[in-house]
């Protein structure tokens, strides 16, 4: 179902995104004005779609898709970054000179002549056909050239009498198209990774209960397996020799509200929570190719198929086929799919066509960080502020997960909502921590820490003599997050220059689906973090995931060191370290990039407060 991903890529907003409005925003190119990242991304994506229908060079198409993707996920306003100079745009990953120049024109003139030119070469409305699951650029071109169908309405009408209007298309194709229409518009919202993850787990548990041994293998695929921060729909894959049994169980799951499609090998449901789930069932000996195909991303798969073709192999979800002899080669496991084209297996989190294929070919894939690499957690809360457990309970929760230390980072006084600590209560808390550490006798360590608020002017919310007494200090912003770019950047960098600020936590302040990232100039933050030796945090709590994948990768490339924390407010909250790890893996981070993979005695030597 290619177009779903192309049309409804993750947005920071959770608000339902109607396809139509997105299209309209592209069409209504007016005078010069401020373009949102979403609009820019939609425009670039549309250019990619048009080029694909025209059968243009794949690399050119991927370039537009990739630029769109990066811009859509960028926490910085692209037009603001531009600031009147096309050269500034080339600092964005995936934006080369050609695209930078076109965006420059768009921002200056309010219109992009290249887009106007190529869109005029296609019938109005043709690109919309790509929104139907199963309709790719080639099919859309065929509808246009062979059947003179150029709009969704036109196709819908044609499907009413396919023998007459769509001669030569098989019954199965017609069926798929009809089902594709049903799925259109069923689900336009993206959900947070954690929500989709646990829900997929529920669906898989339900299937396993109902089908038992008939399931030989089961796995999530799609964006969920790649651990994207937000998920459009859930893709599940099952290897089984009795597909009917599995599909029956799937459409009868108690979570299913509506069955969108049911075939011999696949089915789609909409659940009561509004999420769509697609299931595919296949023979175990085809597991490898199927899992590779349905994990995506689409852009990654296109490149892999190209490489295969260069080796005389045609790759589909079913198998490889030798182009010359027509001989089929089955891959029961995914590593075989990559091995056949001379590559090591690529971790799903990297499969975004953002350098992983080149790295794999040169055997230079990063050794990605894992959850078990984390030795401690540097942000969590207790009852002393807004947490719901005692320090001891938090320590035990962390210990049970194999951690060796935690920093208790209760909020500082300025944050009225969270029962912030003043200097007096802080000293009382330290006594409790000292006693607990004495009890642990080295088996575990609770660090004295604080989540100190960076005030609107960049000053910290606690006096320096107190800040000097902590083991480690995390500084964050919760208030005045809507300050304009220059102001919030100056505020944050002032705090980063403070000698007792060791970590800058949840840097952009985003709440996925609820609050946009602040206007902070992250490039400047990376620069000052590097210069001052301040660590940047990936806050793993499932609403934040901040820094996200794209930003964390950038920080790492700049040489900044990071931490991955849970921001737990109760012992179960330590599980959120997993979402932090997800962002870190998607950001290509290794153990060496993340300092809480170190024992506390080593980590403390890296803190800027201990360096002088
Ligand atoms: P989502 O659901 O929007 O979060 O993103 P994905 O990546 O899960 O996208 P989805 O559900 O439309 O498709 C799942 C995977 O299936 C996708 O990542 C790659 C694969 N796939 C689907 N259709 C095509 C296609 O036409 N060509 C290729 N190469 N791969 C496809
Ligand atoms: Ca999906
Ligand atoms: Ca899907
Ligand atoms: Zn916080």
């Amino acid at each position: 179902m290619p177009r779903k991903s192309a049309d409804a890529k993750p947005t920071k907003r959770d608000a339902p995104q109607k396809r139509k409005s997105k299209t309209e925003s592209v069409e209504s190119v007016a005078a010069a004005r401020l373009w949102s990242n979403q609009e820019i991304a939609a425009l670039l994506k549309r250019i990619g779609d048009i080029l694909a229908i025209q059968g243009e060079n794949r690399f050119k198409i991927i370039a537009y898709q990739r630029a769109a993707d990066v811009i859509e996920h960028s926490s910085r306003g692209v037009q603001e970054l531009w600031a009147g100079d096309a050269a500034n745009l080339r600092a964005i990953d995936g934006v080369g000179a050609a695209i930078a120049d076109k965006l420059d024109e768009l921002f200056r003139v309010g219109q992009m002549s290249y887009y106007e030119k190529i869109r005029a070469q296609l019938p109005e409305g043709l690109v919309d056909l790509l929104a139907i699951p199963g309709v790719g650029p080639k099919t859309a071109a065929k509808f246009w050239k062979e059947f003179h169908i150029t709009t969704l309405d036109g196709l819908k009408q044609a499907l009413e009498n396919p023998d007459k209007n769509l001669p030569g298309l098989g019954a199965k194709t017609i069926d798929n198209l009809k089902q594709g229409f049903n799925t259109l518009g069923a689900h336009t919202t993206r959900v947070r990774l954690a929500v989709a993850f646990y829900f997929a787990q529920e669906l898989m548990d339900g299937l396993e209960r109902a089908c038992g041994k008939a399931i030989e293998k089961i796995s999530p695929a799609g964006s969920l397996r790649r651990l994207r921060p937000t998920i459009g729909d859930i893709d599940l894959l099952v290897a089984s020799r009795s597909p009917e049994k599995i599909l029956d169980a799937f459409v009868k799951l108690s979570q299913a509200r509506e069955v969108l499609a049911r075939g011999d090998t696949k089915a789609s449901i909409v659940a009561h929570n509004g999420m769509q789930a697609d299931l595919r069932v296949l023979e175990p000996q085809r597991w490898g190719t199927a899992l590779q195909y349905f994990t995506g991303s689409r852009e990654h798969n296109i490149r892999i198929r190209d490489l295969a073709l260069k080796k005389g192999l045609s790759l589909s979800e079913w198998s490889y086929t030798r182009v010359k002899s027509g001989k089929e080669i089955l891959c029961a496991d995914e590593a075989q799919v990559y091995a056949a084209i001379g590559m090591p297996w690529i971790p799903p989190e990297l499969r975004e066509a953002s350098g992983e294929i080149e790295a794999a070919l040169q055997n230079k894939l990063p050794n990605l960080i894992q959850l078990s690499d984390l030795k401690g957690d540097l942000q969590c809360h207790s009852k002393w502020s807004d947490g719901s457990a005692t320090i001891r309970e938090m320590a035990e929760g962390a210990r049970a997960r194999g951690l060796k230390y935690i920093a208790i980072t209760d909020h500082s006084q300025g944050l009225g909502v969270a029962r912030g600590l003043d200097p007096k209560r802080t000293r009382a808390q330290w006594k409790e921590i000292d006693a607990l550490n004495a009890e642990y006798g080295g088996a575990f360590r609770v660090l004295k820490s604080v989540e100190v608020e960076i005030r609107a002017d960049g000053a910290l919310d606690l006096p320096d003599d107190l800040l000097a007494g902590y083991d480690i200090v995390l500084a964050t912003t919760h208030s005045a997050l809507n300050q304009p770019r220059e102001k919030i950047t100056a505020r944050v960098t002032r705090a980063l220059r403070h000698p007792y600020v060791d970590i800058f936590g949840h840097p952009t302040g985003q709440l996925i689906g609820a609050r946009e990232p602040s206007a902070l100039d992250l490039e400047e933050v990376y620069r000052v973090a590097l210069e001052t030796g301040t660590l940047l945090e990936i806050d793993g709590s499932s609403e934040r995931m901040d820094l996200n994948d794209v930003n964390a990768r950038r920080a790492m490339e700049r040489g900044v060191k990071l931490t991955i924390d849970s921001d737990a407010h109760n012992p179960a909250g330590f599980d959120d370290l997993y979402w932090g790890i997800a962002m870190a893996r998607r950001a290509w981070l290794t153990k060496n990039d993340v300092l809480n993979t170190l024992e506390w005695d080593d980590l403390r030597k890296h803190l800027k407060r201990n360096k002088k």
Side-chain angles (χ1 to χ4, degrees), residues 41-42 44 130 173 186 195 257 400 431 444 471 509 515 611:
L44 294 176
L130 298 179
T173 310
V195 174
R257 180 182 73 197
K431 272 201 185 140
F444 187 83
D471 292 313
R515 186 168 69 210
K611 276 198 171 151

Side-chain angles (χ1 to χ4, degrees), residues 4 221-224 231-235 278 294:
K4 198 167 349 110
S223 52
L224 183 56
I231 304 297
D233 73 2
I234 291 172
D235 300 285
D278 297 341
F294 290 112

